[in-house]
Amino acid sequence: MLNLPRLLTLSLILLTSITTAAEPLHLPFWDQNDILTPAGSEIEIKANYLEYDTPATNFPRSQYGCEVPRDENTFWVYGWRMQNIADKPNRTIEVVRAWTPDGLNFNEEEIVFSLKDGDWQGFANLVYRPTDGSLFLFSYSAGHLRVFRTDNGTTWEKLTDEAYTNHDAMHITWYPPWNEFLNYQNTLEPYPTRYPDNIGELRRVFSFLRSKDGVEWTSYAPEFLQGEKLWKPDDLDPVDLEFYRSIVIPTEGRYALLIQRYIAPPPEANSRRATTKHGPRSSVEIAISYDGLNWERPHRKHDVTLKVGSLPVQGPSIHQGKIRFYQPEGDVYAFDEGRLFYATCLGNGEFSTRLFTMPMQGLTLNVDASWPANQGETGRAYVMVEALDAEGNLIPGYERTNFLLENIDNPALPLNWTDHPCQNLAGQQIQLRFYFCEAKIYSISENK
């Protein structure tokens, strides 16, 4: 039986190698398609966890929405919040903004939009459209998506009170390949739920919508769904699993997707039973895509929020080597940029990269081969690298014995063999072969 996601992945790798030849070389290790001819111990592709980062100073108390350029050195961060949520006649949505030079220190908070509506629901998205510099507010009222727009950040125009009707959980993002808005929209479908919660015998799944103007939306079905319109849990998932909401991360020329998973418990076992039929949050999975449309889920059992315990509503903000997500009170969760996924193994393993043209600037290696403190000065992690020509033959001088890493953690380590800099191979078609144990190998990149 054909594996469509894998075929799509392989075709996209080939397409990328053709269409982005002028782009700086970057070979990340995100899935098994990125490693060739593995041998020895099993090579695993793993994902890192969100970690606590430095708390933001003077972050406007709000849900992070998006950022907008302010000048060459600073940018606006826009967020939203619901005021008087329990006082329905006075329920109000506000949009606030503050500027920052670095994503950690914020200045001059101000309210730029405020609108009272007793039917506001507790979810909104703020999205920046870079083609014309406009900013959009998408928010649900009584199940209807209302849309507002501003060109200057402070004067807002209502575009529609009813773009469409659906569940309020969504993730709208600007998708540059189409120059359109792309919406990973949570929706409900009838389902014989074993333990019905606040929505009864329905379950939460994903649909996909697209729009040029944020008002008129059309549904579409990515190829990986193989003709289906909805993205649903499958037979490899836990029984009762639902897809609650998502956040897209464009990075390293690819896309990652944070999927908040949800499983309704029996009512007697619901830790929230005193206040609601809605069960507690579940884990957050990270899926991968080469195009932001077709997804694979190799990390189903990995909860990226294990260390932080929750998932913010929108994001990320990517600056100074950090992929950051914000909580309303200013707590920041982050990945290190370029370190979402990595190749590793527990024993002596090896693999090769795909063929590539050695750039004039040479290469850097994003790697963590550090030794834990409990291993002292005789740690187990190491990395050796050799260079092979287009026929797979070892290039003299570039043997693994001339490139050995031990007890080192460096996101941009220059890749050079003893007395043989990689620039000597500039313009040649080569591939690298790694020999390693217990290290984390993230990517190979063109030296900047």
Side-chain angles (χ1 to χ4, degrees):
M1 182 176 180
L2 293 177
N3 185 328
L4 182 59
R6 182 168 296 275
L7 290 174
L8 286 167
T9 296
L10 291 172
S11 64
L12 283 164
I13 289 174
L14 294 174
L15 180 62
T16 299
S17 67
I18 295 171
T19 59
T20 61
E23 295 294 321
L25 179 72
H26 182 69
L27 304 179
F29 302 113
W30 278 35
D31 68 6
Q32 293 292 332
N33 293 312
D34 293 323
I35 61 175
L36 305 181
T37 57
S41 293
E42 179 187 4
I43 309 299
E44 297 182 278
I45 304 295
K46 293 189 174 182
N48 273 323
Y49 296 100
L50 274 170
E51 304 270 0
Y52 281 102
D53 193 27
T54 304
T57 301
N58 296 324
F59 184 79
R61 186 187 59 78
S62 62
Q63 299 285 353
Y64 174 90
C66 67
E67 63 182 59
V68 176
R70 179 172 177 261
D71 54 39
E72 291 184 358
N73 300 310
T74 65
F75 55 96
W76 295 107
V77 165
Y78 287 80
W80 62 271
R81 60 195 176 203
M82 288 290 177
Q83 301 284 43
N84 309 315
I85 190 69
D87 180 12
K88 188 171 181 179
N90 294 302
R91 188 177 296 171
T92 301
I93 188 171
E94 293 179 346
V95 176
V96 297
R97 74 175 183 182
W99 64 267
T100 174
D102 54 12
L104 290 176
N105 299 284
F106 291 82
N107 305 273
E108 299 181 10
E109 175 184 340
E110 59 180 323
I111 298 172
V112 295
F113 177 88
S114 180
L115 185 62
K116 184 187 299 185
D117 180 351
D119 290 323
W120 283 128
Q121 294 169 254
F123 204 89
N125 278 178
L126 285 161
V127 184
Y128 174 63
R129 185 166 67 184
T131 53
D132 62 359
S134 57
L135 179 64
F136 289 73
L137 168 65
F138 302 96
S139 190
Y140 275 91
S141 173
H144 303 303
L145 183 68
R146 303 182 69 180
V147 184
F148 302 83
R149 174 187 167 184
T150 178
D151 292 324
N152 59 16
T154 58
T155 305
W156 294 77
E157 171 192 8
K158 182 176 70 175
L159 300 182
T160 181
D161 280 327
E162 191 174 348
Y164 59 82
T165 302
N166 213 312
H167 191 274
D168 66 336
M170 60 191 164
H171 181 68
I172 301 176
T173 185
W174 181 253
Y175 186 62
W178 290 351
N179 274 338
E180 293 184 23
F181 294 104
L182 192 60
N183 185 357
Y184 303 76
Q185 172 66 58
N186 182 275
T187 194
L188 305 178
E189 69 164 0
Y191 192 75
T193 307
R194 293 201 305 157
Y195 302 119
D197 63 358
N198 62 310
I199 60 171
E201 292 200 357
L202 299 167
R203 72 169 176 175
R204 302 161 181 88
V205 296
F206 287 148
S207 63
F208 297 87
L209 303 172
R210 58 189 292 182
S211 173
K212 293 184 179 299
D213 59 7
V215 175
E216 299 293 332
W217 293 84
T218 58
S219 63
Y220 72 96
E223 292 180 72
F224 85 109
L225 293 181
Q226 302 186 53
E228 297 290 332
K229 292 185 177 180
L230 301 178
W231 188 13
K232 310 174 185 181
D234 58 36
D235 292 341
L236 298 179
D237 286 312
V239 173
D240 304 322
L241 181 70
E242 301 177 45
F243 293 152
Y244 200 86
R245 62 183 180 89
S246 64
I247 297 178
V248 177
I249 308 172
T251 182
E252 298 189 81
R254 301 179 178 183
Y255 298 81
L257 182 70
L258 300 180
I259 303 173
Q260 183 170 346
R261 297 149 61 99
Y262 173 79
I263 297 176
E268 301 86 354
N270 185 0
S271 60
R272 301 178 65 187
R273 59 188 173 274
T275 57
T276 178
K277 294 181 180 180
H278 194 301
R281 65 171 294 278
S282 187
S283 59
V284 176
E285 176 186 338
I286 187 165
I288 64 173
S289 173
Y290 284 79
D291 60 0
L293 306 174
N294 297 284
W295 296 92
E296 294 192 43
R297 301 173 55 206
H299 305 286
R300 295 171 189 245
K301 297 181 180 180
H302 179 77
D303 179 7
V304 299
T305 59
L306 183 67
K307 297 184 178 182
V308 297
S310 63
L311 180 68
V313 169
Q314 248 185 292
S317 175
I318 305 178
H319 293 279
Q320 300 179 333
K322 293 286 186 178
I323 299 174
R324 293 190 174 99
F325 298 87
Y326 299 86
Q327 292 284 30
E329 301 303 325
D331 283 345
V332 180
Y333 308 153
F335 295 110
D336 288 333
E337 189 176 9
R339 288 195 163 189
L340 269 66
F341 308 98
Y342 57 90
T344 191
C345 61
L346 291 177
N348 298 311
E350 54 189 271
F351 72 89
S352 297
T353 68
R354 64 171 175 83
L355 278 172
F356 63 90
T357 302
M358 177 67 79
M360 291 293 296
Q361 293 87 346
L363 300 172
T364 60
L365 174 63
N366 189 340
V367 62
D368 180 1
S370 56
W371 296 341
N374 62 6
Q375 294 181 12
E377 298 301 315
T378 56
R380 297 188 295 269
Y382 70 86
V383 176
M384 296 188 292
V385 187
E386 65 186 17
L388 310 176
D389 63 22
E391 285 71 43
N393 302 311
L394 179 64
I395 301 175
Y398 294 87
E399 298 86 358
R400 66 182 187 181
T401 52
N402 289 330
F403 189 98
L404 171 64
L405 300 178
E406 296 176 294
N407 199 22
I408 190 169
D409 183 358
N410 192 327
L413 180 75
L415 191 65
N416 287 303
W417 288 258
T418 304
D419 299 325
H420 290 79
C422 57
Q423 286 93 331
N424 289 355
L425 302 175
Q428 297 185 37
Q429 280 278 296
I430 71 162
Q431 62 182 159
L432 301 180
R433 188 155 186 86
F434 289 90
Y435 300 81
F436 70 117
C437 176
E438 294 193 20
K440 299 177 180 179
I441 303 176
Y442 292 97
S443 63
I444 288 285
S445 300
E446 183 174 328
N447 197 8
K448 298 179 181 179

